[in-house]
Each structure stands twice: as C-alpha cells, then as structure tokens.
Amino acid sequence: MDQVTALASTCRVATPHDTVLNSECAYTFHTPYTTDRGIVVNLSTYVGTVDSLAFGGPATASTCSAGGGAVGDNEGLFVRIVKKRVEKMKADADAGTSSSTTSSNGTTGKEANDAAPVTKLGVGVEGGFKSEEDQFDTISTHSIVLLRNGTPTDGAVSGGNSNSNSNSQVEVVVELPYDDNTKSTFPTQVAMSADSIINHAGLAVQQDLKAWELDDEPKPVSKYANNDLPFVENGVTINPDPSSWKCEKSGATDNLWLNLSTGFIGGGRKNWDGSGGSNGALDHYHETDDQYPLVVKLGTITDDVDTADCYSYASDEDGPVKVPNLAELLAKRGINVAGMQKTVKSTAELEVELNATYAFDAITESGAHLTPVSGPGLKGLQNLGNSCYVNSVVQMLFGGTVPELASRYGTSAKVDVTVHPLLGVAPRDASSDILCQTAKLSCALTSGAFAGPVPDSATVTDSKSAALDPKYRLAPRMFKNIIGKDHVDFRTGQQQE
C-alpha cells in the first residue's frame, strides 16, 4: 500500500465531460469481458488498455510515461476492470425445480423456456424477446494496479505479419482488490479516481450519446423551474451519502429520483426492455395532484449541474429538461453540489448503452438456419444502429480479401494483435489516430483473436450464439467516429443508406 500511496497525487477524478475508456482497449478490441485480466484504466489519463500496452504501442512504450506521452515516469496507477457474464438459473415455472431439469421429451426446462414462441414485438416483456438482464448476470471485479514499464524486448516488428513483440515488458508491481470492503484502506484520492472511472459512462456511450443528441432537439429549460416551482417547507433534508438513499415506496436502492419540491425519493420508470425502477417517483407526482413535476436522478449530481439528469413529469413537458436553479433547490435539501461525485449513469446514457449492447440480429435472425462459421477473416461486426453498410465495406477491404490492405493493416491468423507497428502511438492519441484504429480493426478481423467458437447448432438462438456474448463482439465505434466525426451527416445516428 505504501507504493500506491506514493503515487496517489497523480490520480485525477474524472468529470462527466472527460473522455474515459473504461469499456474497451484503445489499441485492440479487448474489453473487460475478453479475458480474466480485463483491461486496465490509467487513473491519471483515463485511457484503458491491456496490460502490455499501458505505456504505449510498439516503438512508443520505451519513451512514454503512464501519463500518455511524456518521457519520464515509467510507472503509474491503474484500475483493473474485469467482467464476466453468467447465465441465470431459472426455476421451472410449474414444478419449482431447476431449469436444467430434463422433461420427458428430452427438453430441459431452460431449453423450453428459450424456445418459447415470440408473440409480442418487444424486448424484456412477456411474450417478447428476452433482454440480456433476463438471461444473464454480470459479475464485475476491480483492483488497483501499480504497473511499471520495463525494458523493451529484443527484436522489432518489421510488418503487420510479424510474431515478435516489441512492447516493453510491463510489470505488475502491486495489485490490490478494490471493492466496498477494501475501498476505505486506499488513499482518498485513489478511491475517488477509481470510482469516477468505474461509474463513468465511458467513451463508447459518450460517442453514441453525442450522435443521438445531434439527431434530437436540445433539452429545453423547464417552464416550472425558478420562481414557478413550488417548494414544500417540510424540513426534509437529504443525506449526501449514496448508501442512505432508497425509494420511500419500495425500498429499492437503485434508479432513484429526488422530487425537487417535496424532497421525496422514489424509483424511476421502467425502460423499454422491462428494466428500470419501481415507478415510485412518478406515483408520488400523481398522488400529490400533479403539483410537483420536477425530479433529478440521484447519483448524477456534480458541481456541473448541467450534467445532472433532470426530468419533468408535467403533461406539457414530460421529458428531460434543464433546471438552471438546480444547485439552489438542492441546497435547500442539504445537498452541496460542490461535494458531489457522479456514481450512476444518466437515463440517456443507460438508453444508449442498452441499444449499444443489445444484439438485434438475435431478433432479426432468430430461428433462422444459417451456416455457422468463425475464425480469421470470418468475424462479423456489430451494427451500431446505422453502420451496416460501413461494416460490409470494412469487412471486404480489411477482412483479408484484399491482400495488399491485409498486409498493411492486418495480421496473420493467431498472431498477437498488440504488436502491429501502426499501433505505435501514445495512449492518449490511440483512440483518435486513424491509422491506429484502422490497424486495430483489421487485426481483429484477420487474426481471429476475437472470433467465438463455432456453434454446435446452425439455428440462431437468443442465448447460445457467440454473436450475443460481449466477449466476442466487435463494435467499431472508435473507427466510425474518426471517419464520420467531421461530416455533417455521418457524425449523427441517422440512417445513411
């Protein structure tokens, strides 16, 4: 712990406006799901990578510091994020036994449940397609890691097809578990930095959210803010400690909204996939004769009040709004925004994340009999909502069918995807470097490193297809963002067919 404490001053607390790569390596498509090592995110620069690229890609690691580009320090603090998806075991609805029980016709309870016909166009609702929350639990583990950049290995990478690795030998000096039980043992600055990264929306959601916002009208200022909003002087104050918050109706401790007039804390509304809150906040609005329409999502409040998630239940607004005097209203309830840190994702971030992670091909191809293939050059790309044509072109150009491009940007089958020479940029620059991102994408397609196992069945199902497992998904967001960010049409989420 002494070594961690010595570097605590280098840790920074991420704000909602900061770019945080907490869901994917900047250089490769490794994610917290890919291996049991997950990714490490720098507590100073917020750049996420695999261990071997923490100090930069080939030819840069020996001169880059953990800060992402300056020559000097060769060690830094990181938070390791590892996620594992575990299938839920559901009890048999009739017999009350495990869903793995086999029926008289040889079908397990789980298989029968999976095979239930879809009768409603919806996700996460009875008769509709299952949401991932219905089928899987996600187990997340974190640790604080002190990494040290060692001496580069002998040999240089002469081309994209080399097996040699010129990355520095990154050494794990210290690795300590980080959770609710151990958090108090770390220096405050380290804990605050780690929490801000773990709970941050992340670059992937930020990019999708920006594209979505470009398609939509900006949030209006609520007509009920300022002097038009009634404030009930009932002596209610809110404890700033998030662990004390709960829905006053259901007792739920997540997705909580504070009524800005009454100080009532209630659960939020349900999302389109069936997830969401207890509806306590909306029920309270109706129970008080629709007098107090403005609420704010607890956990999204920071000193930058514009990033707080505010909503108006009023029938003539009924949507996200801005509340210019939010800080003053919260102060009346004992909340000092200057001391608040973001601990949950906003509704917009959750909605974008839900669309980003749900594999809609499970719906469009459900039950279809396709020829299962997997391996180098046989890896699909996730549709980002309007990227089907881009994905097709990218697969043709960089998936190995054009030898010249595959040689320049790709790699050979089963070759380490972290050693390509075009990845040789500083961590801070990797996500915005077009050559780096092109090599990242082509290496992923040509190496087969992220290709899942060939399924036993040729029938596309909701639960067994490798395309649905986040461990094997390739979502080319960084590449698409670089290509389209400066074009008035392609930077949005609109269809461009």
Side-chain angles (χ1 to χ4, degrees), residues 388-449:
C388 51
Y389 283 91
V390 172
N391 288 356
S392 298
V393 171
V394 165
Q395 285 178 309
M396 290 298 297
L397 291 177
F398 302 114
T401 56
V402 182
E404 293 82 1
L405 293 176
S407 175
R408 167 66 169 159
Y409 298 104
T411 187
S412 299
K414 309 301 181 183
V415 169
D416 185 356
V417 296
T418 68
V419 302
H420 196 286
L422 291 179
L423 303 183
V425 297
R428 278 181 173 170
D429 301 327
S431 65
S432 59
D433 187 282
I434 189 169
L435 293 180
C436 177
Q437 291 305 312
T438 303
K440 168 182 175 176
L441 186 54
S442 186
C443 285
L445 294 173
T446 55
S447 69

Short mmCIF file of all heavy atoms in Angstrom, two decimals, residues 388-449:
data_model
loop_
_atom_site.label_atom_id
_atom_site.label_comp_id
_atom_site.label_asym_id
_atom_site.label_seq_id
_atom_site.Cartn_x
_atom_site.Cartn_y
_atom_site.Cartn_z
N CYS A 388 -24.49 -0.71 -40.98
CA CYS A 388 -24.47 -2.00 -41.68
C CYS A 388 -23.68 -1.91 -42.98
O CYS A 388 -22.92 -2.82 -43.32
CB CYS A 388 -25.89 -2.50 -41.91
SG CYS A 388 -27.01 -1.32 -42.67
N TYR A 389 -23.85 -0.80 -43.72
CA TYR A 389 -23.11 -0.66 -44.97
C TYR A 389 -21.62 -0.42 -44.72
O TYR A 389 -20.76 -0.96 -45.41
CB TYR A 389 -23.70 0.49 -45.81
CG TYR A 389 -24.98 0.12 -46.50
CD1 TYR A 389 -26.21 0.33 -45.89
CD2 TYR A 389 -24.98 -0.45 -47.78
CE1 TYR A 389 -27.40 -0.01 -46.52
CE2 TYR A 389 -26.15 -0.79 -48.41
CZ TYR A 389 -27.36 -0.57 -47.78
OH TYR A 389 -28.53 -0.91 -48.40
N VAL A 390 -21.33 0.40 -43.71
CA VAL A 390 -19.93 0.63 -43.35
C VAL A 390 -19.27 -0.68 -42.95
O VAL A 390 -18.15 -0.99 -43.37
CB VAL A 390 -19.84 1.65 -42.19
CG1 VAL A 390 -18.41 1.75 -41.69
CG2 VAL A 390 -20.34 3.01 -42.64
N ASN A 391 -19.97 -1.48 -42.14
CA ASN A 391 -19.42 -2.76 -41.71
C ASN A 391 -19.12 -3.66 -42.89
O ASN A 391 -18.08 -4.34 -42.93
CB ASN A 391 -20.40 -3.46 -40.76
CG ASN A 391 -20.47 -2.79 -39.41
OD1 ASN A 391 -19.75 -1.85 -39.13
ND2 ASN A 391 -21.35 -3.27 -38.55
N SER A 392 -20.02 -3.71 -43.86
CA SER A 392 -19.83 -4.57 -45.03
C SER A 392 -18.60 -4.14 -45.83
O SER A 392 -17.80 -4.97 -46.25
CB SER A 392 -21.08 -4.53 -45.92
OG SER A 392 -22.21 -5.01 -45.24
N VAL A 393 -18.46 -2.83 -46.01
CA VAL A 393 -17.31 -2.32 -46.78
C VAL A 393 -16.01 -2.60 -46.02
O VAL A 393 -15.01 -3.04 -46.62
CB VAL A 393 -17.47 -0.81 -47.02
CG1 VAL A 393 -16.19 -0.22 -47.62
CG2 VAL A 393 -18.65 -0.54 -47.95
N VAL A 394 -16.02 -2.37 -44.71
CA VAL A 394 -14.82 -2.61 -43.90
C VAL A 394 -14.41 -4.07 -43.95
O VAL A 394 -13.23 -4.41 -44.09
CB VAL A 394 -15.07 -2.16 -42.44
CG1 VAL A 394 -14.00 -2.72 -41.52
CG2 VAL A 394 -15.07 -0.64 -42.36
N GLN A 395 -15.38 -4.97 -43.87
CA GLN A 395 -15.06 -6.40 -43.91
C GLN A 395 -14.46 -6.80 -45.25
O GLN A 395 -13.55 -7.63 -45.31
CB GLN A 395 -16.31 -7.22 -43.60
CG GLN A 395 -16.69 -7.20 -42.13
CD GLN A 395 -17.95 -7.97 -41.84
OE1 GLN A 395 -18.97 -7.78 -42.49
NE2 GLN A 395 -17.90 -8.86 -40.87
N MET A 396 -14.96 -6.21 -46.32
CA MET A 396 -14.42 -6.52 -47.65
C MET A 396 -13.01 -5.97 -47.82
O MET A 396 -12.13 -6.63 -48.38
CB MET A 396 -15.34 -5.96 -48.74
CG MET A 396 -16.68 -6.67 -48.85
SD MET A 396 -16.49 -8.41 -49.29
CE MET A 396 -15.74 -8.28 -50.90
N LEU A 397 -12.78 -4.75 -47.32
CA LEU A 397 -11.48 -4.11 -47.53
C LEU A 397 -10.41 -4.65 -46.58
O LEU A 397 -9.27 -4.89 -47.00
CB LEU A 397 -11.61 -2.60 -47.35
CG LEU A 397 -12.41 -1.83 -48.40
CD1 LEU A 397 -12.48 -0.36 -48.03
CD2 LEU A 397 -11.78 -1.99 -49.79
N PHE A 398 -10.77 -4.81 -45.31
CA PHE A 398 -9.76 -5.09 -44.30
C PHE A 398 -9.88 -6.47 -43.66
O PHE A 398 -9.13 -6.78 -42.75
CB PHE A 398 -9.84 -4.02 -43.19
CG PHE A 398 -9.64 -2.62 -43.70
CD1 PHE A 398 -10.67 -1.70 -43.64
CD2 PHE A 398 -8.42 -2.22 -44.23
CE1 PHE A 398 -10.50 -0.39 -44.11
CE2 PHE A 398 -8.24 -0.93 -44.70
CZ PHE A 398 -9.28 -0.01 -44.64
N GLY A 399 -10.80 -7.28 -44.14
CA GLY A 399 -11.00 -8.59 -43.54
C GLY A 399 -10.14 -9.69 -44.11
O GLY A 399 -10.26 -10.85 -43.71
N GLY A 400 -9.26 -9.36 -45.05
CA GLY A 400 -8.35 -10.35 -45.62
C GLY A 400 -8.58 -10.67 -47.07
O GLY A 400 -7.77 -11.38 -47.69
N THR A 401 -9.65 -10.15 -47.67
CA THR A 401 -9.92 -10.45 -49.07
C THR A 401 -9.07 -9.61 -50.02
O THR A 401 -8.94 -9.96 -51.20
CB THR A 401 -11.41 -10.21 -49.39
OG1 THR A 401 -11.76 -8.88 -49.05
CG2 THR A 401 -12.29 -11.18 -48.61
N VAL A 402 -8.52 -8.50 -49.54
CA VAL A 402 -7.60 -7.67 -50.34
C VAL A 402 -6.21 -7.82 -49.73
O VAL A 402 -5.91 -7.19 -48.71
CB VAL A 402 -8.03 -6.19 -50.36
CG1 VAL A 402 -7.08 -5.37 -51.23
CG2 VAL A 402 -9.47 -6.05 -50.83
N PRO A 403 -5.36 -8.66 -50.29
CA PRO A 403 -4.06 -8.97 -49.67
C PRO A 403 -3.22 -7.75 -49.34
O PRO A 403 -2.56 -7.72 -48.29
CB PRO A 403 -3.37 -9.87 -50.72
CG PRO A 403 -4.50 -10.46 -51.51
CD PRO A 403 -5.55 -9.40 -51.56
N GLU A 404 -3.22 -6.76 -50.24
CA GLU A 404 -2.38 -5.58 -50.00
C GLU A 404 -2.82 -4.83 -48.74
O GLU A 404 -1.99 -4.37 -47.95
CB GLU A 404 -2.44 -4.64 -51.22
CG GLU A 404 -1.81 -5.20 -52.49
CD GLU A 404 -2.74 -6.14 -53.24
OE1 GLU A 404 -3.90 -6.34 -52.78
OE2 GLU A 404 -2.34 -6.66 -54.29
N LEU A 405 -4.14 -4.69 -48.54
CA LEU A 405 -4.63 -3.99 -47.36
C LEU A 405 -4.46 -4.83 -46.09
O LEU A 405 -4.14 -4.31 -45.03
CB LEU A 405 -6.11 -3.62 -47.55
CG LEU A 405 -6.40 -2.58 -48.64
CD1 LEU A 405 -7.89 -2.37 -48.79
CD2 LEU A 405 -5.71 -1.26 -48.31
N ALA A 406 -4.66 -6.14 -46.24
CA ALA A 406 -4.48 -7.02 -45.10
C ALA A 406 -3.04 -7.03 -44.63
O ALA A 406 -2.75 -7.08 -43.44
CB ALA A 406 -4.93 -8.44 -45.45
N SER A 407 -2.11 -6.95 -45.59
CA SER A 407 -0.69 -6.93 -45.25
C SER A 407 -0.30 -5.64 -44.56
O SER A 407 0.52 -5.63 -43.65
CB SER A 407 0.15 -7.12 -46.52
OG SER A 407 1.52 -7.00 -46.25
N ARG A 408 -0.90 -4.54 -45.02
CA ARG A 408 -0.57 -3.22 -44.47
C ARG A 408 -1.20 -3.01 -43.08
O ARG A 408 -0.55 -2.54 -42.14
CB ARG A 408 -1.04 -2.14 -45.43
CG ARG A 408 -1.07 -0.71 -44.89
CD ARG A 408 0.29 -0.16 -44.58
NE ARG A 408 0.24 1.27 -44.31
CZ ARG A 408 1.15 1.93 -43.64
NH1 ARG A 408 2.21 1.30 -43.14
NH2 ARG A 408 1.04 3.23 -43.45
N TYR A 409 -2.47 -3.36 -42.96
CA TYR A 409 -3.20 -3.02 -41.74
C TYR A 409 -3.53 -4.22 -40.86
O TYR A 409 -3.81 -4.05 -39.67
CB TYR A 409 -4.52 -2.31 -42.09
CG TYR A 409 -4.31 -1.01 -42.82
CD1 TYR A 409 -4.52 -0.91 -44.19
CD2 TYR A 409 -3.88 0.13 -42.13
CE1 TYR A 409 -4.33 0.29 -44.86
CE2 TYR A 409 -3.68 1.33 -42.79
CZ TYR A 409 -3.90 1.40 -44.16
OH TYR A 409 -3.69 2.59 -44.83
N GLY A 410 -3.52 -5.42 -41.43
CA GLY A 410 -3.92 -6.59 -40.67
C GLY A 410 -2.75 -7.40 -40.17
O GLY A 410 -1.62 -6.91 -40.04
N THR A 411 -3.02 -8.67 -39.90
CA THR A 411 -2.00 -9.56 -39.38
C THR A 411 -2.35 -10.98 -39.79
O THR A 411 -3.38 -11.23 -40.40
CB THR A 411 -1.92 -9.44 -37.84
OG1 THR A 411 -0.81 -10.19 -37.38
CG2 THR A 411 -3.18 -9.97 -37.18
N SER A 412 -1.48 -11.91 -39.50
CA SER A 412 -1.73 -13.30 -39.82
C SER A 412 -2.61 -13.94 -38.75
O SER A 412 -2.76 -13.41 -37.65
CB SER A 412 -0.40 -14.07 -39.92
OG SER A 412 0.41 -13.53 -40.94
N ALA A 413 -3.16 -15.08 -39.09
CA ALA A 413 -4.03 -15.79 -38.15
C ALA A 413 -3.26 -16.14 -36.89
O ALA A 413 -2.10 -16.56 -36.93
CB ALA A 413 -4.58 -17.06 -38.81
N LYS A 414 -3.93 -15.93 -35.77
CA LYS A 414 -3.41 -16.30 -34.45
C LYS A 414 -2.21 -15.47 -33.99
O LYS A 414 -1.58 -15.79 -32.98
CB LYS A 414 -3.05 -17.79 -34.40
CG LYS A 414 -4.15 -18.72 -34.88
CD LYS A 414 -5.43 -18.56 -34.08
CE LYS A 414 -6.51 -19.53 -34.55
NZ LYS A 414 -7.78 -19.33 -33.82
N VAL A 415 -1.89 -14.39 -34.68
CA VAL A 415 -0.78 -13.53 -34.27
C VAL A 415 -1.27 -12.53 -33.22
O VAL A 415 -2.42 -12.07 -33.26
CB VAL A 415 -0.19 -12.79 -35.48
CG1 VAL A 415 0.78 -11.70 -35.05
CG2 VAL A 415 0.53 -13.77 -36.39
N ASP A 416 -0.42 -12.20 -32.27
CA ASP A 416 -0.74 -11.25 -31.21
C ASP A 416 -1.16 -9.90 -31.82
O ASP A 416 -0.38 -9.27 -32.54
CB ASP A 416 0.49 -11.07 -30.32
CG ASP A 416 0.22 -10.18 -29.10
OD1 ASP A 416 -0.90 -9.65 -28.99
OD2 ASP A 416 1.14 -10.04 -28.28
N VAL A 417 -2.38 -9.46 -31.51
CA VAL A 417 -2.89 -8.23 -32.11
C VAL A 417 -2.32 -6.97 -31.47
O VAL A 417 -2.61 -5.86 -31.92
CB VAL A 417 -4.43 -8.19 -32.04
CG1 VAL A 417 -5.05 -9.30 -32.86
CG2 VAL A 417 -4.92 -8.25 -30.59
N THR A 418 -1.50 -7.11 -30.44
CA THR A 418 -0.96 -5.93 -29.75
C THR A 418 0.36 -5.44 -30.33
O THR A 418 0.89 -4.44 -29.85
CB THR A 418 -0.75 -6.22 -28.25
OG1 THR A 418 0.31 -7.17 -28.10
CG2 THR A 418 -2.02 -6.76 -27.61
N VAL A 419 0.90 -6.13 -31.35
CA VAL A 419 2.27 -5.81 -31.79
C VAL A 419 2.34 -5.13 -33.15
O VAL A 419 3.42 -4.87 -33.65
CB VAL A 419 3.13 -7.09 -31.83
CG1 VAL A 419 3.18 -7.75 -30.47
CG2 VAL A 419 2.62 -8.07 -32.89
N HIS A 420 1.21 -4.82 -33.76
CA HIS A 420 1.24 -4.20 -35.08
C HIS A 420 1.93 -2.84 -35.01
O HIS A 420 1.68 -2.04 -34.09
CB HIS A 420 -0.19 -4.04 -35.61
CG HIS A 420 -0.25 -3.77 -37.08
ND1 HIS A 420 0.09 -2.56 -37.64
CD2 HIS A 420 -0.60 -4.58 -38.12
CE1 HIS A 420 -0.07 -2.62 -38.95
NE2 HIS A 420 -0.49 -3.84 -39.26
N PRO A 421 2.82 -2.52 -35.96
CA PRO A 421 3.58 -1.26 -35.89
C PRO A 421 2.72 -0.01 -35.95
O PRO A 421 3.11 1.04 -35.43
CB PRO A 421 4.53 -1.35 -37.09
CG PRO A 421 3.92 -2.36 -38.00
CD PRO A 421 3.25 -3.35 -37.12
N LEU A 422 1.53 -0.08 -36.58
CA LEU A 422 0.68 1.10 -36.66
C LEU A 422 0.00 1.42 -35.33
O LEU A 422 -0.64 2.46 -35.19
CB LEU A 422 -0.37 0.93 -37.76
CG LEU A 422 0.17 0.93 -39.19
CD1 LEU A 422 -0.96 0.73 -40.19
CD2 LEU A 422 0.90 2.23 -39.49
N LEU A 423 0.17 0.55 -34.35
CA LEU A 423 -0.34 0.84 -33.00
C LEU A 423 0.66 1.67 -32.21
O LEU A 423 0.42 1.97 -31.03
CB LEU A 423 -0.62 -0.46 -32.24
CG LEU A 423 -1.60 -1.46 -32.87
CD1 LEU A 423 -1.80 -2.65 -31.95
CD2 LEU A 423 -2.93 -0.79 -33.20
N GLY A 424 1.76 2.05 -32.83
CA GLY A 424 2.84 2.75 -32.14
C GLY A 424 2.57 4.21 -31.89
O GLY A 424 3.31 5.09 -32.35
N VAL A 425 1.49 4.52 -31.19
CA VAL A 425 1.18 5.89 -30.79
C VAL A 425 0.99 5.91 -29.28
O VAL A 425 0.77 4.88 -28.65
CB VAL A 425 -0.08 6.43 -31.51
CG1 VAL A 425 0.13 6.48 -33.00
CG2 VAL A 425 -1.29 5.56 -31.18
N ALA A 426 1.04 7.09 -28.70
CA ALA A 426 0.87 7.24 -27.26
C ALA A 426 -0.57 6.90 -26.87
O ALA A 426 -1.50 7.09 -27.67
CB ALA A 426 1.21 8.66 -26.82
N PRO A 427 -0.80 6.40 -25.66
CA PRO A 427 -2.15 6.02 -25.23
C PRO A 427 -3.19 7.10 -25.42
O PRO A 427 -4.31 6.83 -25.85
CB PRO A 427 -1.95 5.67 -23.75
CG PRO A 427 -0.54 5.19 -23.66
CD PRO A 427 0.22 6.05 -24.62
N ARG A 428 -2.82 8.34 -25.12
CA ARG A 428 -3.80 9.43 -25.24
C ARG A 428 -4.23 9.68 -26.68
O ARG A 428 -5.31 10.20 -26.94
CB ARG A 428 -3.22 10.72 -24.66
CG ARG A 428 -3.31 10.82 -23.15
CD ARG A 428 -2.73 12.12 -22.66
NE ARG A 428 -2.95 12.32 -21.23
CZ ARG A 428 -2.37 13.27 -20.53
NH1 ARG A 428 -1.55 14.12 -21.12
NH2 ARG A 428 -2.61 13.40 -19.23
N ASP A 429 -3.39 9.30 -27.64
CA ASP A 429 -3.68 9.57 -29.05
C ASP A 429 -4.32 8.39 -29.77
O ASP A 429 -4.82 8.54 -30.88
CB ASP A 429 -2.39 9.95 -29.78
CG ASP A 429 -1.71 11.17 -29.19
OD1 ASP A 429 -2.44 12.05 -28.70
OD2 ASP A 429 -0.47 11.23 -29.20
N ALA A 430 -4.29 7.22 -29.15
CA ALA A 430 -4.67 5.99 -29.86
C ALA A 430 -6.12 6.02 -30.36
O ALA A 430 -6.39 5.63 -31.50
CB ALA A 430 -4.46 4.78 -28.95
N SER A 431 -7.06 6.47 -29.55
CA SER A 431 -8.46 6.41 -29.94
C SER A 431 -8.82 7.37 -31.05
O SER A 431 -9.86 7.22 -31.71
CB SER A 431 -9.36 6.69 -28.73
OG SER A 431 -9.18 8.01 -28.25
N SER A 432 -7.97 8.37 -31.32
CA SER A 432 -8.26 9.35 -32.36
C SER A 432 -7.29 9.29 -33.53
O SER A 432 -7.32 10.15 -34.40
CB SER A 432 -8.25 10.77 -31.76
OG SER A 432 -6.98 11.05 -31.17
N ASP A 433 -6.43 8.27 -33.56
CA ASP A 433 -5.46 8.11 -34.65
C ASP A 433 -6.05 7.17 -35.69
O ASP A 433 -6.30 6.00 -35.41
CB ASP A 433 -4.15 7.56 -34.10
CG ASP A 433 -3.06 7.53 -35.15
OD1 ASP A 433 -3.08 6.59 -35.99
OD2 ASP A 433 -2.20 8.41 -35.14
N ILE A 434 -6.25 7.65 -36.90
CA ILE A 434 -6.96 6.87 -37.90
C ILE A 434 -6.19 5.63 -38.34
O ILE A 434 -6.77 4.56 -38.58
CB ILE A 434 -7.31 7.75 -39.14
CG1 ILE A 434 -8.24 6.97 -40.09
CG2 ILE A 434 -6.04 8.21 -39.86
CD1 ILE A 434 -8.84 7.85 -41.15
N LEU A 435 -4.85 5.72 -38.41
CA LEU A 435 -4.06 4.54 -38.79
C LEU A 435 -4.09 3.50 -37.69
O LEU A 435 -4.20 2.29 -37.95
CB LEU A 435 -2.63 4.95 -39.12
CG LEU A 435 -2.43 5.81 -40.37
CD1 LEU A 435 -0.95 6.13 -40.57
CD2 LEU A 435 -2.98 5.12 -41.61
N CYS A 436 -4.00 3.97 -36.46
CA CYS A 436 -4.06 3.05 -35.32
C CYS A 436 -5.40 2.32 -35.28
O CYS A 436 -5.45 1.09 -35.11
CB CYS A 436 -3.83 3.82 -34.03
SG CYS A 436 -3.98 2.83 -32.51
N GLN A 437 -6.48 3.05 -35.46
CA GLN A 437 -7.81 2.44 -35.40
C GLN A 437 -8.09 1.54 -36.60
O GLN A 437 -8.79 0.53 -36.49
CB GLN A 437 -8.89 3.52 -35.28
CG GLN A 437 -8.87 4.25 -33.95
CD GLN A 437 -8.98 3.30 -32.76
OE1 GLN A 437 -9.82 2.41 -32.72
NE2 GLN A 437 -8.08 3.48 -31.79
N THR A 438 -7.53 1.88 -37.75
CA THR A 438 -7.68 1.00 -38.92
C THR A 438 -6.95 -0.30 -38.69
O THR A 438 -7.47 -1.39 -38.99
CB THR A 438 -7.16 1.70 -40.18
OG1 THR A 438 -7.85 2.93 -40.38
CG2 THR A 438 -7.37 0.81 -41.41
N ALA A 439 -5.73 -0.22 -38.14
CA ALA A 439 -4.97 -1.44 -37.84
C ALA A 439 -5.66 -2.25 -36.75
O ALA A 439 -5.70 -3.48 -36.82
CB ALA A 439 -3.55 -1.07 -37.40
N LYS A 440 -6.20 -1.57 -35.76
CA LYS A 440 -6.94 -2.25 -34.69
C LYS A 440 -8.09 -3.06 -35.27
O LYS A 440 -8.29 -4.23 -34.90
CB LYS A 440 -7.48 -1.20 -33.72
CG LYS A 440 -8.50 -1.70 -32.70
CD LYS A 440 -8.99 -0.56 -31.82
CE LYS A 440 -10.11 -1.01 -30.88
NZ LYS A 440 -10.51 0.09 -29.96
N LEU A 441 -8.82 -2.48 -36.19
CA LEU A 441 -9.98 -3.14 -36.79
C LEU A 441 -9.56 -4.28 -37.70
O LEU A 441 -10.08 -5.40 -37.63
CB LEU A 441 -10.80 -2.11 -37.56
CG LEU A 441 -12.12 -2.54 -38.16
CD1 LEU A 441 -13.02 -3.16 -37.11
CD2 LEU A 441 -12.82 -1.34 -38.81
N SER A 442 -8.57 -4.03 -38.56
CA SER A 442 -8.13 -5.07 -39.49
C SER A 442 -7.48 -6.24 -38.77
O SER A 442 -7.70 -7.40 -39.14
CB SER A 442 -7.15 -4.47 -40.51
OG SER A 442 -6.82 -5.41 -41.51
N CYS A 443 -6.70 -5.97 -37.74
CA CYS A 443 -6.07 -7.06 -36.97
C CYS A 443 -7.13 -7.93 -36.30
O CYS A 443 -7.00 -9.15 -36.22
CB CYS A 443 -5.12 -6.49 -35.93
SG CYS A 443 -3.56 -5.86 -36.59
N ALA A 444 -8.18 -7.28 -35.81
CA ALA A 444 -9.25 -8.04 -35.16
C ALA A 444 -9.95 -8.97 -36.15
O ALA A 444 -10.32 -10.10 -35.81
CB ALA A 444 -10.25 -7.09 -34.53
N LEU A 445 -10.11 -8.50 -37.40
CA LEU A 445 -10.80 -9.31 -38.41
C LEU A 445 -9.91 -10.41 -38.96
O LEU A 445 -10.39 -11.54 -39.20
CB LEU A 445 -11.26 -8.40 -39.56
CG LEU A 445 -12.34 -7.36 -39.23
CD1 LEU A 445 -12.57 -6.44 -40.42
CD2 LEU A 445 -13.64 -8.04 -38.84
N THR A 446 -8.64 -10.12 -39.17
CA THR A 446 -7.76 -11.09 -39.84
C THR A 446 -7.10 -12.09 -38.90
O THR A 446 -6.72 -13.18 -39.32
CB THR A 446 -6.66 -10.36 -40.62
OG1 THR A 446 -5.95 -9.48 -39.73
CG2 THR A 446 -7.25 -9.54 -41.76
N SER A 447 -6.99 -11.74 -37.62
CA SER A 447 -6.29 -12.63 -36.70
C SER A 447 -7.17 -13.74 -36.15
O SER A 447 -6.67 -14.81 -35.78
CB SER A 447 -5.74 -11.82 -35.52
OG SER A 447 -6.81 -11.34 -34.70
N GLY A 448 -8.46 -13.48 -36.06
CA GLY A 448 -9.35 -14.44 -35.43
C GLY A 448 -9.28 -14.41 -33.91
O GLY A 448 -9.88 -15.26 -33.23
N ALA A 449 -8.57 -13.41 -33.35
CA ALA A 449 -8.37 -13.35 -31.90
C ALA A 449 -9.68 -13.17 -31.13
O ALA A 449 -9.78 -13.58 -29.98
CB ALA A 449 -7.41 -12.21 -31.56
#
